[in-house]
Amino acid sequence: MAAATIVHDTSEAVELCPAYGLYLKPITKMTISVALPQLKQPGKSISNWEVMERLKGMVHNHQFSTLRISKSTMDFIRFEGEVENKSLVKSFLACLDGKTIKLSGFSDILKVRAAEFKIDFPTRHDWDSFFRDAKDMNETLPGERPDTIHLEGLPCKWFALKESGSEKPSEEVLVKVFEKFGEIRNVDIPMLDPYREEMTGRNFHTFSFGGHLNFEAYVQYREYVGFIQAMSALRGMKLMYKGEDGKAVACNIKVSFDSTKHLSDASIKKRQLERQKLQELEQQREEQKRREKEAEERQRAEERKQKELEELERERKREEKLRRREQKQRARELRRSQKRQEKLQAEEQRQLQEKIRLEERKLLLAQRNLQSIRLVAELLARAKVPAGPCSRGRLQPGAPRYPRGVWGSLPPGTCSPRPSRAPLGHAASRSRTPGGCSRN
């Protein structure tokens, strides 16, 4: 649907439901066609913007509410223009229809044709002939006769409950708005049914060019007169919303009669059965999702448990490895300590052996010194005996006798007399000869 436009003049607005700020405003559109000449020079073109500006200048003291290009070809440019009031349409048509435009740089004149916009709206003949000729329709049954209006392009925000704070349309508001034309038997807003898109394969959430979220709705009247009054009131009208601040905006809506038996009892029952099936299917899906979620949770729990076990196993192995490493470290330290102890003991033993060796050497040296002393004493003792001949300690016959004190100067070979006492360290049990001389 077209974008919502700001309405400056609301004098022609008709009340629809003032409680919700909804009004009906006449559609004031026109179609303008500009015939283009044959371009003889290559590379030369006509500016659509220049043509539009010339059209705006042709309506002297007035201006278009909107003017846009609906179609552009090599032969013509078609515009759709809209004005504020219905009364201005005739004056705009008088200023435009049959006039010409002279563009700068072109010798040919462009002809302008303007006409009131032809509204695509069904007539009473259309629905009467449709339901009369349709073989699958029973005019005695609701929904299979001309009693349901199909509305498209309704802004969601305009039909939302004010106290709810939501921008979703409400069936209650829809009933209050359209019950002005007669008693309503049933309404349906497909976008409010979460299963409708899946049932029909259609997308009921549509956006207009203005950014407003629009919806479609079905309104079924209990009496034929209500349907007729609603269709007559909506013919050639667009929907206008007037806020509390007094500002008004309007948007075009599409209105047609329902030819699909949408609100017939059979269709409603069919949708209910489909909805029930979809609900059961959704419950099955939810149950399946729940089971899958539980299975995933169990799997995740098992994975977490497995990871914890693996982590514990890794921690145990790590601790075992550290323990073995510590044991090896302690064993190495113990071996090193033992080696140091053995080394110290060996060093002490070596020092002790060295000390013993030194002591033994000292003892040996002392013994040798003692023996040397004894030997010297013995030698000295022997040296005191005369060196003359003797026989068993007695003087040999003919040997001279020397007085006491001159033994040291005895000639060699003379025997010394027995000394008065034995030398120091000499054996007391020394054997003597009968003559008093010692035996060697």
Side-chain angles (χ1 to χ4, degrees):
M1 302 304 296
T5 57
I6 299 175
V7 178
H8 299 284
D9 187 357
T10 60
S11 59
E12 294 181 351
V14 179
E15 291 185 355
L16 178 61
C17 184
Y20 287 90
L22 295 176
Y23 299 83
L24 295 175
K25 189 177 185 302
I27 297 175
T28 55
K29 283 186 178 181
M30 62 189 72
T31 304
I32 305 167
S33 296
V34 179
L36 301 179
Q38 294 292 330
L39 298 177
K40 299 178 182 180
Q41 297 181 2
K44 196 172 184 180
S45 61
I46 296 175
S47 172
N48 295 342
W49 178 83
E50 184 179 358
V51 175
M52 185 181 296
E53 291 299 317
R54 291 298 180 90
L55 290 177
K56 290 180 180 179
M58 292 173 67
V59 289
H60 305 291
N61 297 326
H62 304 287
Q63 61 181 0
F64 290 96
S65 298
T66 59
L67 182 63
R68 66 181 186 88
I69 299 173
S70 61
K71 189 175 182 180
S72 177
T73 65
M74 296 294 295
D75 299 326
F76 66 90
I77 304 174
R78 183 174 298 160
F79 297 88
E80 283 187 5
E82 190 171 0
V83 296
E84 284 290 337
N85 296 322
K86 190 75 173 176
S87 58
L88 294 176
V89 175
K90 291 184 179 181
S91 60
F92 271 70
L93 293 178
C95 295
L96 296 172
D97 190 31
K99 301 298 189 291
T100 58
I101 296 176
K102 180 69 172 62
L103 298 179
S104 58
F106 292 90
S107 58
D108 296 334
I109 296 176
L110 281 65
K111 294 183 179 179
V112 180
R113 299 293 298 176
E116 192 171 352
F117 183 78
K118 186 177 180 181
I119 300 171
D120 184 15
F121 199 92
T123 62
R124 183 169 183 172
H125 173 73
D126 293 334
W127 61 72
D128 284 343
S129 59
F130 174 82
F131 286 102
R132 182 182 63 249
D133 299 336
K135 296 181 180 180
D136 59 340
M137 297 288 183
N138 186 355
E139 295 189 0
T140 61
L141 300 177
E144 300 184 25
R145 58 192 180 191
D147 59 359
T148 304
I149 300 177
H150 183 203
L151 301 157
E152 295 180 85
L154 300 173
C156 295
K157 191 175 180 179
W158 297 1
F159 289 83
L161 288 171
K162 295 181 180 179
E163 60 273 8
S164 66
S166 173
E167 293 190 357
K168 285 188 176 182
S170 169
E171 292 183 354
E172 179 183 348
V173 177
L174 188 68
V175 170
K176 290 182 179 179
V177 171
F178 286 97
E179 66 181 0
K180 173 182 179 180
F181 307 109
E183 185 180 357
I184 292 178
R185 181 177 180 272
N186 200 356
V187 295
D188 181 45
I189 301 177
M191 73 171 293
L192 297 181
D193 188 355
Y195 303 98
R196 193 67 59 87
E197 291 184 6
E198 193 170 355
M199 285 189 291
T200 60
R202 293 175 55 195
N203 182 14
F204 295 98
H205 299 77
T206 57
F207 287 88
S208 70
F209 295 105
H212 296 281
L213 181 63
N214 297 335
F215 70 99
E216 66 172 315
Y218 294 86
V219 180
Q220 185 182 59
Y221 288 92
R222 191 172 295 277
E223 301 293 339
Y224 180 65
V225 63
F227 172 80
I228 290 293
Q229 290 181 1
M231 293 295 287
S232 300
L234 296 174
R235 183 186 304 276
M237 294 289 187
K238 57 183 178 179
L239 190 64
M240 187 184 81
Y241 175 79
K242 190 173 183 180
E244 296 178 357
D245 55 358
K247 296 181 180 180
V249 291
C251 69
N252 292 313
I253 60 174
K254 185 178 180 181
V255 182
S256 62
F257 63 92
D258 177 42
S259 59
T260 62
K261 300 190 289 186
H262 184 79
L263 291 181
S264 65
D265 295 339
S267 298
I268 294 173
K269 186 176 181 180
K270 181 180 178 181
R271 283 196 298 271
Q272 289 177 349
L273 292 175
E274 291 179 357
R275 186 181 298 108
Q276 185 177 358
K277 291 179 181 179
L278 290 174
Q279 287 175 348
E280 293 176 355
L281 182 61
E282 185 179 9
Q283 290 177 358
Q284 293 176 1
R285 291 174 180 173
E286 291 295 331
E287 183 66 21
Q288 181 68 21
K289 288 181 180 179
R290 186 184 63 80
R291 288 196 297 267
E292 291 176 356
K293 188 175 181 180
E294 290 178 354
E296 290 177 359
E297 288 293 334
R298 287 195 299 269
Q299 184 177 358
R300 282 196 292 267
E302 292 177 357
E303 290 176 356
R304 285 196 300 268
K305 188 175 180 180
Q306 185 67 25
K307 288 181 179 179
E308 290 176 358
L309 292 176
E310 292 176 357
E311 185 66 26
L312 290 174
E313 183 66 19
R314 285 195 295 269
E315 186 66 23
R316 187 189 65 78
K317 290 182 179 180
R318 187 163 50 249
E319 291 178 355
E320 183 68 22
K321 186 176 180 180
L322 290 175
R323 187 165 56 252
R324 288 197 300 268
R325 186 181 300 174
E326 291 175 357
Q327 289 177 355
K328 291 180 180 179
Q329 185 70 20
R330 286 195 297 269
R332 284 196 297 269
E333 292 294 334
L334 182 60
R335 288 195 296 271
R336 289 174 185 172
S337 178
Q338 290 177 353
K339 288 181 180 180
R340 285 195 298 267
Q341 190 69 24
E342 290 174 358
K343 189 174 181 181
L344 290 173
Q345 290 177 357
E347 183 67 22
E348 290 177 357
Q349 188 69 20
R350 187 186 65 78
Q351 292 178 359
L352 181 60
Q353 293 294 334
E354 184 69 20
K355 188 174 181 181
I356 293 172
R357 189 180 65 78
L358 291 175
E359 291 296 330
E360 288 179 349
R361 183 173 179 80
K362 288 180 182 180
L363 180 59
L364 180 61
L365 291 175
Q367 289 176 354
R368 288 181 180 178
N369 289 336
L370 182 59
Q371 290 175 1
S372 299
I373 292 170
R374 288 176 179 175
L375 181 60
V376 171
E378 180 68 24
L379 291 176
L380 288 176
R382 290 182 181 184
K384 291 179 182 181
V385 179
C390 64
S391 175
R392 293 181 184 179
R394 296 180 181 179
L395 291 176
Q396 297 295 327
R401 291 184 180 274
Y402 294 92
R404 189 182 294 273
V406 293
W407 298 101
S409 59
L410 292 176
T414 59
C415 296
S416 59
R418 184 180 60 177
S420 58
R421 62 177 66 170
L424 181 62
H426 198 276
S429 61
R430 192 183 188 92
S431 62
R432 300 183 185 276
T433 60
C437 295
S438 63
R439 183 181 294 178
N440 290 332

